[in-house]
Amino acid sequence: MGNSFGKLFKITTFGESHGQGIGVVLDGCPAGLAINSDLIQFQLDRRKPGQSRITTQRNEPDQFQILSGVFEGKSTGTPIAMVIWNKDARGKDYSHIADKFRPSHADFTYQEKYGIRDYRGGGRSSARETAARVAAGAIAMHLLSGYGIEIRSYVSQVGEIKLNLPFQQLDLKQIEDNIVRCPHAETAQTMIDHIDAIRKSGDSIGGIVTGVLTGVPVGLGEPVFDKLHAQLGNAMLGINAVKGFEYGSGFEGVKMKGSEHNDQFEKQGDKIVTTSNYSGGIQGGISNGQDIYFNVAFKPVATIMKDQNSIDKSGLPTVVKGKGRHDPCVVPRAVPIVDAMAALVLADCILLNKSIKL
Amino acid sequence: MGNSFGKLFKITTFGESHGQGIGVVLDGCPAGLAINSDLIQFQLDRRKPGQSRITTQRNEPDQFQILSGVFEGKSTGTPIAMVIWNKDARGKDYSHIADKFRPSHADFTYQEKYGIRDYRGGGRSSARETAARVAAGAIAMHLLSGYGIEIRSYVSQVGEIKLNLPFQQLDLKQIEDNIVRCPHAETAQTMIDHIDAIRKSGDSIGGIVTGVLTGVPVGLGEPVFDKLHAQLGNAMLGINAVKGFEYGSGFEGVKMKGSEHNDQFEKQGDKIVTTSNYSGGIQGGISNGQDIYFNVAFKPVATIMKDQNSIDKSGLPTVVKGKGRHDPCVVPRAVPIVDAMAALVLADCILLNKSIKL
Amino acid sequence: MGNSFGKLFKITTFGESHGQGIGVVLDGCPAGLAINSDLIQFQLDRRKPGQSRITTQRNEPDQFQILSGVFEGKSTGTPIAMVIWNKDARGKDYSHIADKFRPSHADFTYQEKYGIRDYRGGGRSSARETAARVAAGAIAMHLLSGYGIEIRSYVSQVGEIKLNLPFQQLDLKQIEDNIVRCPHAETAQTMIDHIDAIRKSGDSIGGIVTGVLTGVPVGLGEPVFDKLHAQLGNAMLGINAVKGFEYGSGFEGVKMKGSEHNDQFEKQGDKIVTTSNYSGGIQGGISNGQDIYFNVAFKPVATIMKDQNSIDKSGLPTVVKGKGRHDPCVVPRAVPIVDAMAALVLADCILLNKSIKL
Amino acid sequence: MGNSFGKLFKITTFGESHGQGIGVVLDGCPAGLAINSDLIQFQLDRRKPGQSRITTQRNEPDQFQILSGVFEGKSTGTPIAMVIWNKDARGKDYSHIADKFRPSHADFTYQEKYGIRDYRGGGRSSARETAARVAAGAIAMHLLSGYGIEIRSYVSQVGEIKLNLPFQQLDLKQIEDNIVRCPHAETAQTMIDHIDAIRKSGDSIGGIVTGVLTGVPVGLGEPVFDKLHAQLGNAMLGINAVKGFEYGSGFEGVKMKGSEHNDQFEKQGDKIVTTSNYSGGIQGGISNGQDIYFNVAFKPVATIMKDQNSIDKSGLPTVVKGKGRHDPCVVPRAVPIVDAMAALVLADCILLNKSIKL
């Protein structure tokens, strides 16, 4: 269970890292939407392995095939199924860990929960599954662009290296200008150098992705359990390796007083705005028309090129060898995944909101 | 929409701050569970207003009435409906804000989303709604205790005042020993004094609640979208005033290397454990049998006793007077809400997990 | 589980026959809808016991109380909770069957499924639960009237007495003109006399309710699993004592040839219509703008005034005495329930359909 | 929407008649179940076109490919995706109806609902979609066989030709002995001859499939909205061309008196049984351990080899030519579909029932 996401704009994903492929069924995409293959492939390319020297060297073109739901270039209102076939699967490379539990991976918990697991590259627990979300998210993004909504995430921290400027002082068009996806050239270079050094040492490092959603209309999100930020948090915490989520003032906001933190309303022209935005564009769980921004914390990747002590299925001590292909830092490739999950949340909210007024 | 939570152990809440009352329907509680009124009332008392000098002075006994689903003291498998009648509702006290948007409240977003709102005490957006969750959560907690699971949350930060000890070094039985619910007497007193000063100044302050779940069996949580920590995050972000959620190493973990962060497995007696617990008891979205711990960030309460500039429904500038009853700091009363939401998540996972093996 | 119905216009019901009362939470009602108490009470009065000599004599006024979700006479977009308090509950009247399984009742299956049951009047299995649906259905009906949709059900068969005219040849405004709710005076009188005779003999009899939905726009219903007729069938089969559902040509249609059964399209003025309507207003699971009509079969009520052989909880033979209050024929009171369930289905489809086009 | 079925044992289907293929994602299959390809192919072969002279002559091998969720021959608890590639798609054969609305097909309603449609063989509205359900249903059947449950459906009526024996007097092992799937050789031959004659005349005819579920444990089904028979009815009404559903005494039962219709309990050995079974194995929406039986009415197929009057997209009169490949009577191929949908319902109920007791 737990392989579906969304209420009206709803995806179900399937597939394993070293099986036939990764796929998604998108049910609820409105009919008549142009399905632009280039946009989908662009997002998949941002996520695909082997895209730069600071990512895993697994060689996957990550081209997708549409199986259904599109006719003469447009969505028909029926389920859109897409598959990304695995081309560089090397299941046998994992035979040495078939009976071992890699530290901080899902090997142990899958084995205990299900009594069986596909150990090849982590099987279903591999972040390769997120390719399916990125494909569906690209369609969501295209839908949202029709509403004037833009989604832009970027890397704001790698290890201790932190971009100390708020998003308003950055040029978010520069995100794709470097391989780490940090829209600040100098900081980006420092991050890249750091990841490079980490990679060479056979280790890994964590990081933070900051998401910024602009043009979101007032009224998205539900007031009690499906608050917009709860939906976003749920979406982000569902990405592999994520350890935390905060929006608006976040964890820093706890130190503030109400008189400092409250965002005052004022009218600017025809529009009601707030003069500050500690709320992060969401009040009472519902978007208020201001920019939405949030941070997503990613842990260091569990796969490292060092030998580690662990146990095997029978409980005996063993050593897990440091080998295979992996990302030394997940955040550069996590950016399009954060984008995709944010898009899926907003597309669902947009559709759901159509039912709320007479 | 968005007033239901859970898949199998599922609640739907209803009610407004100054309407008839607050209620909940719990569908999916297993049959034959003893429904202990004292346990439910105990949790409601922990959340109720007016419990100490650092909480709002609204005078609500918060006694509950069971309307259905219980026969001869036990659950019957049919929906358990409970109502907490509002006794100290003073809707008229809010007529001065009927047409004004209070800063950082949900007044504006509700008005825009629905075109209508119950302005009395925030209506449905009031944290009074959480009383319903606490009542249902108490039943979940009782269910979980039969599985050996214990849920204990506490206040770990108020404004800048931070309890700098990890939960393992605290005696969590001391949580109820003081009115701020911090299990460290000295820090608690500093927090209480600080909240008192904030209250006297007519302001408010934020804080952090730390949750600790012990005795959780291996295998809870789903591997992709309904990861256990995503469910917990979703639950916590659905509580009023929450701005962030992190578990295990959380945001601090991004600075670590994989070789430091990975939790090694070893066998201790019959049990497989990890020698460190940066994973926070969850790996690949599934509980691994270690303690689960997380932090929940609460912003300063938006209601303050100071006049604030804002606008009214027609967009004209106005002043929102600082009056009414409110909490200067929400975290002492948030503790039982965090407990309740965690319990609802775990109860749902426990039931869902029964279907996963043949 | 299974106490909720609908996706966007969604109800959850609770309550037992001889407990505190029966209630419903309606989540997803669009904001700004006038909530007309008279309309709700009118429908409840059509369903309430004791309304005529051919229904059960239990004396319940079935007045409802709104607990939430309505402000200044309008829906606010938040959950609308309603309770109908039990006034004439006589739980003790059922002590003689506390340990016995009444034939063709739910006593045995509840006991086996849950290991516990509220035996008083059947507890949750009593058709008294449907009062909650009727209250919510009245709101749905009011919503639908704004779209020009009318829902009219009537009794078309009691035992062997069958109204042999199609609905097009009846004046459906006459439904409320007699106590059996058959819009054909002569047939109605025969039915009433028959039910009266059955009642005097201490027995019960089955019947059929025919539903007619007019003014339904083209496009409601989903094409695969949630076909409009599947939703209607699911709704009707969820009413107590229902044994069958058919729409359009139904079971008789199996005898026809395609060349006879196919409904030809033609344009009449601006409207596309079909020259016959064996499809029952639904093609491919989606409404086509023609009248929707269906039949719902109700079995004879299981409670009769005759002694019956059965067994008790320990498996020993016993006699179930014929006593208590009951309906000799359920269909007159089932009419408003069929209306309500049809309204709930259509309201949900109307809301869901808003999301399907860009 | 509406392309998913089930709560815990949940399928999502995709694909069109003349697109790339038809597929299904099964989420929630318990881990460790042997996935037997032969059993799946056996059921697909029962449904596939061209299997006999009384079915459509479209030539599809209907071989399936498993894309995910199976490892070393067993389910892993992750989604099982399966695709049946279209081999004999001839989309161009349908260009003559690209702008026409075929009578009693879904052409008009799809066009109006979505504003776009894949006209090739009806696109998503084709019964070819049910191949996906049959594949998933075969896995459900295998799961159920472990609980001792058997599902056997058969053709009981074709046009006016009715098998007048109750299922108890038939040998259900003979279902596959003839091409019409009626377990009574003599009646089967009459049916076959009749369908043959209908086929030669270019027409079509309706029929009834009777389903029999044996070995179902007591306790499946939910008491209010998800009654077992409502779930079965919903499942069957979701099959293409179905017009009605009845279970147990069904529509005939309305003529009976309660004293005749009530099923008396008695103990036979260790087992509690009923001496008659008008309840059809379900009481109060929950299985009672007796055989479950039901009838499903199928209309005559809308595609016929005769010219028919209709209109085109612009509303002008036109003639729909009688050509293409079609089934003269759908029931022989509907048998495995009824089996599959019944299996999906029961598998879901089995899993759901595990959560109901402590």
Side-chain angles (χ1 to χ4, degrees):
Chain A
M1 293 301 295
N3 295 286
S4 295
F5 187 84
K7 284 193 173 54
L8 294 182
F9 193 94
K10 183 178 172 184
I11 64 166
T12 302
T13 74
F14 59 88
E16 287 88 25
S17 183
H18 293 256
Q20 308 261 342
I22 296 292
V24 61
V25 182
L26 164 57
D27 194 11
C29 182
L33 184 71
I35 302 300
N36 187 321
S37 289
D38 291 344
L39 290 179
I40 299 171
Q41 193 62 54
F42 173 73
Q43 294 299 337
L44 284 171
D45 286 349
R46 295 175 78 209
R47 198 215 70 93
K48 79 174 174 186
Q51 62 181 265
S52 77
R53 72 177 187 276
I54 57 171
T55 67
T56 174
Q57 296 307 306
R58 180 170 171 174
N59 182 21
E60 290 286 355
D62 277 0
Q63 282 166 349
F64 69 102
Q65 181 183 2
I66 296 179
L67 301 189
S68 65
V70 179
F71 186 63
E72 297 177 346
K74 290 189 175 170
S75 63
T76 60
T78 62
I80 300 173
M82 294 184 281
V83 180
I84 298 143
W85 302 100
N86 290 335
K87 300 288 187 187
D88 191 22
R90 300 183 194 169
K92 287 183 186 162
D93 283 9
Y94 293 88
S95 53
H96 68 294
I97 55 149
D99 292 323
K100 296 178 179 180
F101 299 137
R102 290 171 298 164
S104 289
H105 270 281
D107 301 342
F108 171 68
T109 52
Y110 268 61
Q111 184 68 43
E112 291 294 305
K113 183 180 181 83
Y114 299 112
I116 181 177
R117 74 188 160 99
D118 178 349
Y119 57 78
R120 301 167 302 167
R124 180 88 180 133
S125 73
S126 165
R128 183 150 179 72
E129 178 272 336
T130 60
R133 311 189 200 181
V134 168
I139 295 176
M141 260 180 254
H142 185 50
L143 175 72
L144 295 170
S145 69
Y147 289 87
I149 299 172
E150 288 199 1
I151 295 174
R152 286 206 191 91
S153 308
Y154 61 91
V155 171
S156 59
Q157 188 167 345
V158 168
E160 302 266 4
I161 304 160
K162 188 173 180 177
L163 175 58
N164 274 315
L165 295 169
F167 75 91
Q168 296 92 337
Q169 296 176 30
L170 299 169
D171 177 4
L172 300 186
K173 286 181 193 128
Q174 295 180 18
I175 294 170
E176 291 300 298
D177 287 359
N178 56 67
I179 58 176
V180 79
R181 297 201 166 85
C182 171
H184 187 265
E186 196 180 346
T187 311
Q189 193 54 52
T190 317
M191 288 172 170
I192 293 166
D193 293 345
H194 187 52
I195 297 175
D196 237 356
I198 288 283
R199 181 177 61 81
K200 284 171 188 157
S201 73
D203 216 326
S204 66
I205 189 78
I208 291 180
V209 173
T210 297
V212 181
L213 319 179
T214 58
V216 179
V218 188
L220 301 195
E222 301 303 313
V224 177
F225 294 113
D226 295 335
K227 289 178 164 75
L228 181 51
H229 54 268
Q231 290 189 51
L232 287 169
N234 182 35
M236 300 308 152
L237 290 157
I239 300 173
N240 309 50
V242 170
K243 303 295 286 189
F245 171 85
E246 61 180 359
Y247 79 104
S249 60
F251 276 89
E252 278 302 302
V254 307
K255 301 174 185 166
M256 296 173 75
K257 293 179 184 168
S259 56
E260 301 162 339
H261 191 275
N262 283 354
D263 297 319
Q264 288 186 11
F265 290 104
E266 73 174 24
K267 196 155 186 181
Q268 290 182 356
D270 280 350
K271 233 188 136 187
I272 293 173
V273 301
T274 59
T275 55
S276 55
N277 187 13
Y278 293 110
S279 297
I282 304 173
Q283 290 173 328
I286 300 168
S287 61
N288 70 355
Q290 304 304 298
D291 293 340
I292 294 172
Y293 61 99
F294 54 83
N295 291 322
V296 186
F298 290 82
K299 71 168 188 177
V301 177
T303 302
I304 55 176
M305 293 303 98
K306 296 171 186 287
D307 291 357
Q308 299 176 90
N309 293 324
S310 189
I311 58 170
D312 63 17
K313 275 166 70 174
S314 57
L316 294 176
T318 188
V319 171
V320 174
K321 286 281 172 195
K323 63 179 231 185
R325 301 166 294 186
H326 82 295
D327 288 273
C329 181
V330 81
V331 287
R333 290 178 61 206
V335 165
I337 307 170
V338 168
D339 283 347
M341 292 307 298
L344 291 169
V345 167
L346 292 183
D348 201 37
C349 288
I350 285 273
L351 296 188
L352 198 56
N353 229 34
K354 296 186 181 213
S355 71
I356 211 65
K357 284 193 190 170
L358 280 174
Chain B
M1 293 302 295
N3 296 285
S4 295
F5 187 84
K7 283 193 173 53
L8 293 182
F9 194 93
K10 183 179 173 184
I11 64 165
T12 301
T13 75
F14 59 88
E16 287 88 25
S17 184
H18 292 257
Q20 307 261 342
I22 296 290
V24 61
V25 182
L26 165 57
D27 193 12
C29 182
L33 183 71
I35 302 299
N36 187 321
S37 290
D38 292 343
L39 290 180
I40 299 172
Q41 193 62 54
F42 173 73
Q43 294 298 339
L44 284 171
D45 287 349
R46 293 176 79 210
R47 199 215 70 94
K48 80 174 174 187
Q51 62 182 266
S52 77
R53 73 178 186 276
I54 58 169
T55 68
T56 175
Q57 295 309 305
R58 180 169 172 173
N59 183 22
E60 291 286 354
D62 277 359
Q63 283 166 350
F64 70 101
Q65 181 183 1
I66 294 178
L67 302 189
S68 66
V70 179
F71 186 63
E72 297 177 347
K74 290 190 175 170
S75 63
T76 60
T78 62
I80 300 173
M82 295 184 280
V83 180
I84 298 142
W85 302 100
N86 290 335
K87 299 290 187 186
D88 192 21
R90 301 183 193 167
K92 287 182 186 163
D93 284 9
Y94 293 87
S95 53
H96 68 294
I97 55 149
D99 292 322
K100 297 179 180 179
F101 299 137
R102 291 171 298 164
S104 289
H105 270 281
D107 301 342
F108 171 69
T109 51
Y110 268 61
Q111 184 68 42
E112 291 293 305
K113 183 180 180 82
Y114 299 113
I116 181 177
R117 74 190 161 97
D118 179 349
Y119 58 78
R120 301 167 303 168
R124 180 90 181 130
S125 74
S126 165
R128 183 151 180 72
E129 178 271 337
T130 60
R133 312 187 200 183
V134 168
I139 295 176
M141 260 180 254
H142 186 50
L143 175 72
L144 295 171
S145 69
Y147 289 87
I149 299 171
E150 288 199 1
I151 294 173
R152 286 206 191 90
S153 308
Y154 61 91
V155 171
S156 59
Q157 188 167 344
V158 167
E160 303 265 5
I161 305 159
K162 187 171 179 178
L163 175 58
N164 275 314
L165 295 170
F167 75 91
Q168 296 93 337
Q169 295 176 32
L170 299 169
D171 177 4
L172 299 186
K173 287 183 192 125
Q174 296 180 18
I175 294 170
E176 290 300 299
D177 288 358
N178 55 68
I179 58 176
V180 79
R181 296 199 168 88
C182 172
H184 187 266
E186 196 180 346
T187 310
Q189 194 53 52
T190 316
M191 288 172 171
I192 292 166
D193 293 345
H194 187 51
I195 297 175
D196 238 356
I198 288 283
R199 181 179 62 81
K200 283 172 189 157
S201 73
D203 216 326
S204 66
I205 189 80
I208 292 180
V209 173
T210 297
V212 181
L213 318 179
T214 57
V216 179
V218 187
L220 301 194
E222 301 303 314
V224 177
F225 294 113
D226 296 334
K227 289 179 164 74
L228 182 52
H229 54 269
Q231 291 189 51
L232 287 167
N234 182 34
M236 300 308 153
L237 289 158
I239 300 174
N240 310 49
V242 170
K243 302 294 286 186
F245 171 84
E246 61 179 358
Y247 79 104
S249 60
F251 276 89
E252 278 303 303
V254 308
K255 301 174 186 165
M256 296 173 75
K257 292 180 186 168
S259 56
E260 301 161 339
H261 191 274
N262 283 355
D263 298 317
Q264 289 186 11
F265 291 104
E266 71 173 25
K267 196 155 186 182
Q268 290 181 356
D270 281 351
K271 233 189 136 184
I272 293 171
V273 301
T274 59
T275 55
S276 56
N277 187 12
Y278 294 110
S279 297
I282 304 173
Q283 290 173 328
I286 301 167
S287 61
N288 69 356
Q290 305 303 298
D291 294 340
I292 294 171
Y293 61 99
F294 54 83
N295 291 322
V296 187
F298 290 81
K299 70 168 187 175
V301 177
T303 302
I304 55 176
M305 294 301 98
K306 296 171 186 289
D307 291 357
Q308 299 177 88
N309 292 324
S310 190
I311 58 171
D312 63 18
K313 274 166 70 173
S314 57
L316 295 174
T318 188
V319 171
V320 173
K321 287 279 172 196
K323 63 180 232 186
R325 302 166 294 187
H326 82 296
D327 289 273
C329 181
V330 81
V331 288
R333 291 178 61 206
V335 165
I337 307 170
V338 168
D339 283 348
M341 292 308 298
L344 291 168
V345 167
L346 292 184
D348 201 37
C349 289
I350 285 274
L351 296 189
L352 198 56
N353 229 35
K354 295 185 182 218
S355 71
I356 210 65
K357 283 192 192 170
L358 281 175
Chain C
M1 294 300 294
N3 296 285
S4 295
F5 188 84
K7 283 194 173 54
L8 294 181
F9 193 93
K10 182 178 172 184
I11 64 167
T12 302
T13 74
F14 60 89
E16 287 88 25
S17 183
H18 292 258
Q20 307 261 342
I22 296 292
V24 62
V25 183
L26 165 57
D27 194 10
C29 183
L33 183 72
I35 302 300
N36 187 319
S37 290
D38 290 344
L39 290 180
I40 299 171
Q41 193 62 54
F42 173 72
Q43 295 298 336
L44 283 171
D45 287 350
R46 293 175 80 208
R47 198 215 70 94
K48 80 175 174 186
Q51 63 181 263
S52 76
R53 75 178 186 274
I54 57 170
T55 69
T56 174
Q57 295 308 304
R58 180 168 171 174
N59 182 21
E60 290 286 354
D62 276 0
Q63 283 166 351
F64 70 101
Q65 181 182 1
I66 294 178
L67 302 188
S68 66
V70 179
F71 186 63
E72 298 178 346
K74 289 189 176 171
S75 62
T76 60
T78 62
I80 300 173
M82 296 184 279
V83 180
I84 298 143
W85 301 100
N86 290 334
K87 299 290 187 187
D88 191 22
R90 301 182 192 168
K92 287 182 186 162
D93 284 9
Y94 293 87
S95 53
H96 67 293
I97 55 149
D99 293 323
K100 296 178 180 179
F101 299 137
R102 291 171 297 163
S104 289
H105 270 281
D107 301 343
F108 170 68
T109 53
Y110 268 59
Q111 184 68 43
E112 291 293 307
K113 182 180 181 83
Y114 298 113
I116 182 177
R117 75 189 160 97
D118 178 349
Y119 57 78
R120 302 167 302 168
R124 179 89 180 132
S125 74
S126 165
R128 183 152 179 71
E129 178 271 337
T130 60
R133 312 188 199 182
V134 168
I139 295 175
M141 260 181 254
H142 185 51
L143 175 72
L144 295 171
S145 69
Y147 290 88
I149 299 171
E150 289 198 1
I151 294 174
R152 287 205 191 90
S153 308
Y154 60 90
V155 170
S156 59
Q157 188 166 345
V158 168
E160 304 265 5
I161 305 160
K162 187 172 180 177
L163 175 58
N164 275 314
L165 295 169
F167 75 92
Q168 296 93 336
Q169 295 176 31
L170 298 169
D171 177 4
L172 299 186
K173 288 185 192 123
Q174 295 181 19
I175 294 170
E176 290 303 297
D177 288 358
N178 55 68
I179 58 177
V180 78
R181 295 199 168 90
C182 172
H184 187 266
E186 196 180 347
T187 310
Q189 194 54 52
T190 316
M191 288 172 170
I192 292 166
D193 294 345
H194 186 52
I195 297 174
D196 237 357
I198 287 283
R199 180 179 63 81
K200 283 172 188 157
S201 73
D203 216 327
S204 66
I205 189 79
I208 290 179
V209 174
T210 296
V212 181
L213 318 179
T214 58
V216 179
V218 186
L220 301 194
E222 301 304 314
V224 176
F225 295 114
D226 296 334
K227 289 179 164 76
L228 181 51
H229 54 268
Q231 291 189 50
L232 287 168
N234 182 35
M236 300 308 152
L237 289 157
I239 300 174
N240 309 50
V242 171
K243 303 293 286 186
F245 170 85
E246 61 179 359
Y247 79 105
S249 60
F251 276 89
E252 278 302 302
V254 307
K255 301 174 186 165
M256 296 173 74
K257 292 179 184 169
S259 56
E260 300 161 340
H261 191 275
N262 283 355
D263 297 319
Q264 289 186 9
F265 291 104
E266 71 173 26
K267 196 155 186 182
Q268 290 182 356
D270 281 350
K271 233 188 136 185
I272 292 171
V273 300
T274 57
T275 54
S276 56
N277 187 11
Y278 292 110
S279 297
I282 304 172
Q283 290 173 327
I286 301 168
S287 61
N288 69 356
Q290 305 303 297
D291 295 339
I292 294 172
Y293 60 98
F294 55 82
N295 291 322
V296 187
F298 290 81
K299 71 169 187 174
V301 177
T303 302
I304 54 176
M305 293 302 98
K306 296 170 186 287
D307 291 359
Q308 298 175 90
N309 293 324
S310 189
I311 59 170
D312 64 18
K313 275 166 69 173
S314 57
L316 295 175
T318 187
V319 171
V320 174
K321 287 280 174 193
K323 64 178 231 185
R325 301 166 294 186
H326 83 295
D327 288 273
C329 181
V330 81
V331 288
R333 290 179 61 206
V335 166
I337 307 169
V338 168
D339 283 347
M341 293 307 298
L344 290 168
V345 167
L346 292 184
D348 201 37
C349 289
I350 285 274
L351 297 188
L352 197 57
N353 228 36
K354 295 184 183 219
S355 71
I356 210 64
K357 283 193 192 170
L358 280 176
Chain D
M1 294 301 294
N3 296 285
S4 296
F5 187 84
K7 283 194 174 53
L8 294 181
F9 193 93
K10 182 178 171 184
I11 64 166
T12 302
T13 75
F14 59 89
E16 287 88 25
S17 183
H18 292 257
Q20 308 263 340
I22 296 291
V24 62
V25 182
L26 164 57
D27 194 11
C29 181
L33 183 70
I35 302 298
N36 187 321
S37 289
D38 291 344
L39 290 180
I40 299 172
Q41 194 62 55
F42 173 72
Q43 294 298 338
L44 284 171
D45 287 348
R46 293 176 79 208
R47 198 215 70 93
K48 80 175 174 186
Q51 63 183 264
S52 76
R53 73 177 187 276
I54 58 171
T55 68
T56 174
Q57 296 308 303
R58 180 169 170 174
N59 182 22
E60 290 286 355
D62 277 359
Q63 282 167 350
F64 69 102
Q65 180 182 3
I66 295 179
L67 301 189
S68 67
V70 178
F71 187 63
E72 297 178 346
K74 289 188 175 171
S75 63
T76 60
T78 61
I80 300 173
M82 295 184 281
V83 180
I84 298 143
W85 302 100
N86 290 334
K87 299 289 187 186
D88 191 21
R90 301 183 192 167
K92 288 182 185 161
D93 284 9
Y94 294 88
S95 53
H96 68 293
I97 56 150
D99 293 322
K100 297 179 181 180
F101 299 137
R102 290 171 299 164
S104 289
H105 271 281
D107 301 341
F108 170 68
T109 52
Y110 268 60
Q111 184 67 43
E112 291 293 306
K113 184 181 180 83
Y114 298 112
I116 182 178
R117 76 190 158 96
D118 179 349
Y119 57 78
R120 301 167 302 167
R124 180 90 180 130
S125 73
S126 164
R128 183 149 180 74
E129 178 271 336
T130 59
R133 313 188 198 181
V134 168
I139 295 176
M141 261 181 253
H142 185 50
L143 176 72
L144 295 170
S145 69
Y147 290 88
I149 299 172
E150 288 199 2
I151 294 174
R152 287 206 191 92
S153 307
Y154 60 90
V155 171
S156 59
Q157 188 166 345
V158 168
E160 303 266 4
I161 306 161
K162 188 172 179 176
L163 175 59
N164 275 313
L165 294 170
F167 74 91
Q168 296 93 338
Q169 296 175 30
L170 299 168
D171 177 4
L172 300 186
K173 287 183 193 128
Q174 296 181 17
I175 294 171
E176 291 301 298
D177 287 0
N178 56 68
I179 58 177
V180 78
R181 296 199 168 88
C182 171
H184 187 265
E186 194 180 349
T187 311
Q189 193 54 52
T190 317
M191 288 172 170
I192 292 165
D193 294 344
H194 187 51
I195 296 175
D196 236 355
I198 288 283
R199 181 178 62 79
K200 284 172 188 157
S201 72
D203 216 327
S204 66
I205 190 79
I208 291 179
V209 173
T210 296
V212 181
L213 319 179
T214 58
V216 179
V218 186
L220 300 195
E222 301 303 313
V224 176
F225 294 114
D226 296 335
K227 289 178 164 75
L228 181 51
H229 54 268
Q231 291 189 51
L232 287 168
N234 182 35
M236 300 308 152
L237 289 157
I239 300 173
N240 309 50
V242 170
K243 304 294 287 186
F245 171 85
E246 60 179 359
Y247 80 104
S249 60
F251 276 89
E252 279 302 301
V254 307
K255 300 174 186 167
M256 295 172 75
K257 293 179 184 169
S259 57
E260 300 161 339
H261 191 275
N262 284 353
D263 297 319
Q264 288 187 12
F265 290 105
E266 71 174 25
K267 198 156 185 181
Q268 290 181 356
D270 280 351
K271 233 189 136 184
I272 293 172
V273 300
T274 58
T275 54
S276 55
N277 188 13
Y278 293 111
S279 297
I282 304 173
Q283 290 173 328
I286 301 167
S287 61
N288 69 356
Q290 305 303 297
D291 294 340
I292 294 172
Y293 61 98
F294 54 83
N295 291 322
V296 186
F298 290 81
K299 70 169 187 176
V301 177
T303 302
I304 54 176
M305 293 303 98
K306 295 170 186 288
D307 291 357
Q308 297 177 89
N309 293 324
S310 190
I311 57 171
D312 63 18
K313 274 167 69 173
S314 57
L316 295 176
T318 188
V319 170
V320 174
K321 286 280 172 194
K323 62 179 231 184
R325 301 166 295 186
H326 82 295
D327 288 274
C329 181
V330 81
V331 287
R333 292 178 60 207
V335 165
I337 308 170
V338 167
D339 282 348
M341 293 307 299
L344 290 168
V345 167
L346 292 183
D348 200 37
C349 289
I350 285 273
L351 296 188
L352 198 56
N353 229 36
K354 295 184 182 218
S355 72
I356 211 63
K357 283 193 190 170
L358 280 175

